[in-house]
Amino acid sequence: MDTSVLLSQIFNTVFPLASIVLVAFLYARVRPTDMTVANRLNISVFCPALIFSVMASKDFHITQYLDLILAATAVVLGSGLLIWPLCKWLKISPKTLVPR
């Protein structure tokens, strides 16, 4: 493949994306926005809706995911059980290291 054609394809792919990012960056520098509401909406509404739509579109048999459920439970409970004595030893509140 010719080098100029390859560079042209790379430019045609990267330049529009880089331009959009640059314009958004400059706009955000001139006019900062509060993203609190958008972030809360995303986490509270859109992420659960995405997970629900993915799970609803496929057959789901809980017995196929028992290993994953057990591993996730072990990670969550295990990390909590490890953090608790560490917090006591460091004399900090466990709420500092545990998500709300």
Side-chain angles (χ1 to χ4, degrees), residues 30-66:
V30 173
R31 251 188 110 104
T33 57
D34 181 23
M35 295 300 294
T36 306
V37 174
N39 289 337
R40 189 172 297 135
L41 240 165
N42 191 21
I43 294 298
S44 300
V45 176
F46 298 127
C47 286
L50 177 64
I51 292 168
F52 178 78
S53 70
V54 168
M55 290 178 72
S57 67
K58 296 188 169 74
D59 287 339
F60 180 75
H61 302 287
I62 199 160
T63 56
Q64 294 177 341
Y65 296 100
L66 283 179

Side-chain angles (χ1 to χ4, degrees), residues 18-32:
S19 301
I20 292 169
V21 168
L22 179 65
V23 168
F25 174 76
L26 294 174
Y27 180 78
R29 298 280 283 178
V30 173
R31 251 188 110 104

